Amino acid sequence: MRSIWKGSISFGLVTIPIKVVSATENHSVSFHQVHTTDGGRIRYRKVCELEEQEVPREEIGKGFETGDGTTVQLTDTDLAALPLPTAKTVEILGFVPSEDVDPIQLDRSYYLAGDGQSAAKPYALLREALKRSGKVAVGKLAMRGRESLGLLRVYEDVLALHTMLWPNEIRSVSGVAPEEQVSIRDAELDLADTLMETLGDLDWSELHDEYREAVERLVTAKAEGVDTATLEEAAAPSGKGQVVDLMSVLESSVRAAKESRGEGAGGRGAGSGDATVHEISRQRGGTKKTAAKQATAKKAASKKTAAKETAAKETAAKKAPAKKAPAAKTAAKKTVAKKTAAAKSGTAKKAVAGKKAAAKKTARTRKSA
């Protein structure tokens, strides 16, 4: 493999001459730009804006624009002479546990090869020290026109270098996570755990670029004059956006995963039916509007029901005293009648007693006379 950078690793007083080679290669699908009318290639040409003429590569240099708009030309010799200790050296700053480095900081990956026989012993020393400690080394280096942080670790039997982004190059996550308050039930978490366990380990050897394969089939078919309609139908999306019942989907996923592994469909989290699927409205924002309307309708129905119940209670409260009023009046009348009758009876008795007393007194008077 061709080296893209040469220098050394500074490990305290130990210096390890190294060559940096790329650890990855790009297999992405690449397209040319063509003129659709005749198939001619569309190419970019580098033109000087002052002369309006194309400039060959050997006459193109680097320029840095200052704050006042002035462009200062810099040569490779100027940049190579920069007084940076990292210009040709990977300067190790410290050693940290690998879990302390978030993968979001990692950028490009390289292999480090020893440069010459003198590099063999110190190279092996650093590799074995990293293995035994379980840590990774963090350093700085200047490569490809910029100074970067670098992470050194052991990959198989070689030292690997991952360039890292500076902390201020990592964007804030503010506003990325869903703002809605979501409540996750324990049953849903249990099913998710079951699904993860059922899917099992990942077989990396089975992973491949399906998009590239599909493009290659399409190119072959068009080159051979085959009708590509069947390919387009096979690649057509299965449907519109869908709103699903999460629990049903999880249960169905667990069953499907178990069946694909040759296991029974029973067990924890196994369901008995397919997921309930509801189509999303075609109009933009249809789902949110529909949900809002449904929520408003539910609230209105609840308010109407509550109002009816309140009215019924008030009506019942008003009717109850009205029924009892005649009974109370009747009882009162009876009481008054009784009291009146008793009073009349007492008066009559007193009158009779008075008459008797008067008669007796008269009789006595007559006898005395």
Side-chain angles (χ1 to χ4, degrees), residues 19 27 76 117 133 171 183-184 203 222 230 261 264 283 287 296 327 329 343:
K19 294 184 295 185
H27 289 170
D76 292 338
Q117 294 183 352
S133 68
R171 291 181 173 177
S183 130
I184 302 297
D203 186 352
K222 290 183 76 70
T230 54
R261 294 167 62 89
Q283 296 181 354
T287 302
T296 304
K329 288 181 179 180

Side-chain angles (χ1 to χ4, degrees), residues 200-273:
D201 297 330
L202 180 65
D203 186 352
W204 294 92
S205 63
E206 294 182 356
L207 303 182
H208 57 281
D209 188 349
E210 296 181 8
Y211 178 75
R212 182 183 181 88
E213 293 176 356
V215 171
E216 289 173 349
R217 287 196 298 269
L218 176 62
V219 170
T220 301
K222 290 183 76 70
E224 295 176 354
V226 178
D227 183 13
T228 60
T230 54
L231 296 176
E232 293 174 358
E233 291 176 2
S238 58
K240 305 167 189 174
Q242 297 174 332
V243 177
V244 297
D245 178 359
L246 184 57
M247 283 294 289
S248 297
V249 170
L250 287 170
E251 291 170 352
S252 299
S253 299
V254 170
R255 287 200 309 275
K258 287 185 176 180
E259 290 172 1
S260 68
R261 294 167 62 89
E263 301 176 9
R268 185 178 66 169
S272 57

Side-chain angles (χ1 to χ4, degrees), residues 74-88 142 145-147:
L74 299 173
T75 66
D76 292 338
T77 305
D78 295 332
L79 296 174
L82 286 174
L84 286 176
T86 58
K88 286 294 181 182
R146 60 169 293 176
E147 185 177 56

Side-chain angles (χ1 to χ4, degrees), residues 317-329:
K318 289 180 180 178
K319 289 181 178 179
K323 291 181 180 178
K324 292 179 181 179
K329 288 181 179 180

